[in-house]
Amino acid sequence: MKRLIICLTIIAAIIAAGICTIGTVAQKNERLYGKIDSVLASYGESGAEAEIAELKKFFEREYAPGLSLVVNDAGLGEMMNSISKLGPMLESGCDEFLAECEAIRSEAERIYLAELPGLFRVF
């Protein structure tokens, strides 16, 4: 009986850790989406240098350090590359600025979807 209780406790701890991880990724993604939306809104009106700097600061200080413990670093590296391109793209008037913002958003979504449990990941 003790073994059963210990096994159920371990399984419950694993499930709780997974739920907390999914919640953390979702919460940080929502904040990242808000920062991206503010960059896009200011891009249409005027220069978006301040919003890009705020997005970069959020990513470097909150998003990447918080998620680097639980997600693959390759996705975070892709996002950092895209975020670092935004400033020079804005200055040069590059047509791909909006596409790069959407690439950041889609990479964050991919990270979230990779954390969701699924039967297809077991087999």
Side-chain angles (χ1 to χ4, degrees), residues 30-109:
E30 287 302 317
R31 292 188 60 205
L32 181 72
Y33 296 156
K35 302 284 184 192
I36 293 171
D37 289 340
S38 68
V39 168
L40 292 174
S42 63
Y43 175 72
E45 298 170 3
S46 62
E49 293 88 7
E51 285 77 10
I52 292 172
E54 186 177 327
L55 172 65
K56 188 173 183 179
K57 180 180 168 184
F58 169 75
F59 184 82
E60 290 174 348
R61 294 191 181 169
E62 295 180 40
Y63 191 86
L67 294 185
S68 65
L69 298 173
V70 293
V71 301
N72 189 358
D73 286 339
L76 294 175
E78 294 276 331
M79 289 176 70
M80 186 62 208
N81 287 340
S82 295
I83 290 172
S84 64
K85 290 178 188 176
L86 291 180
M89 289 177 120
L90 181 68
E91 291 174 5
S92 67
C94 184
D95 293 338
E96 296 177 3
F97 182 83
L98 300 176
E100 204 66 37
C101 289
E102 288 304 316
I104 296 167
R105 186 186 302 266
S106 65
E107 187 64 33
E109 182 69 21

Side-chain angles (χ1 to χ4, degrees), residues 2-24:
K2 289 181 184 179
R3 290 181 196 164
L4 179 64
I5 292 172
I6 290 171
C7 289
L8 291 177
T9 303
I10 291 171
I11 291 171
I14 291 170
I15 291 171
I19 291 171
C20 288
T21 299
I22 292 168
T24 300

